[in-house]
Amino acid sequence: MTEITYSDFEKVEIRVGKVVKVEDFPKARRPAYKLWIDFGALGIKKSSAQITKYRHEELTGRQVLAVTNFPPRQVADFMSEVLVLGVVLDNEEVVLIKPDRDVPLGNRIL
């Protein structure tokens, strides 16, 4: 992996959001959900996320971390605006990363 500087890392905007809506996304090439995530003052952003090991009920209301300054990306018929962060296991299952307690929505991670 290429080393980066701290100033490179500061360019990546990672913020806390809360999932407010989850829908199945059958048009995605790989199994995924459509998520609507509340980032407080930044508003509600959409994401296509390959986290189908979670049930809708487990995701709704959950705080997540996401990269919020990538350009939007078209995924099938859905515009994904943020990248939800998770740990990818050997079996390609994704485990979401979240704060260990509730924090204000939209706050930045450093």
Side-chain angles (χ1 to χ4, degrees), residues 30-53:
R30 297 179 71 188
Y33 289 142
K34 294 178 184 178
L35 303 179
W36 285 260
I37 304 168
D38 183 357
F39 288 96
L42 289 175
I44 294 177
K45 305 286 184 184
K46 299 181 291 183
S47 182
S48 170
Q50 297 173 3
I51 53 173
T52 56
K53 297 292 184 190

Side-chain angles (χ1 to χ4, degrees), residues 15 19 37 42 46 49 57-59 66 69 83 93 99 102 104:
R15 295 190 179 268
V19 177
I37 304 168
L42 289 175
K46 299 181 291 183
E57 314 77 60
E58 291 177 288
L59 294 170
N69 66 333
L83 175 68
E93 178 183 354
D102 282 350

Side-chain angles (χ1 to χ4, degrees), residues 81-99:
E81 301 171 294
V82 299
L83 175 68
V84 175
L85 298 177
V87 178
V88 181
L89 304 179
D90 289 339
N91 64 0
E92 296 193 15
E93 178 183 354
V94 176
V95 178
L96 291 172
I97 301 170
K98 65 176 186 169

Side-chain angles (χ1 to χ4, degrees), residues 25-29 34 48 73-80:
F25 192 8
K27 290 185 179 180
R29 277 185 285 179
K34 294 178 184 178
S48 170
R73 183 174 178 197
Q74 186 78 38
V75 180
D77 62 350
F78 187 73
M79 188 61 73
S80 186

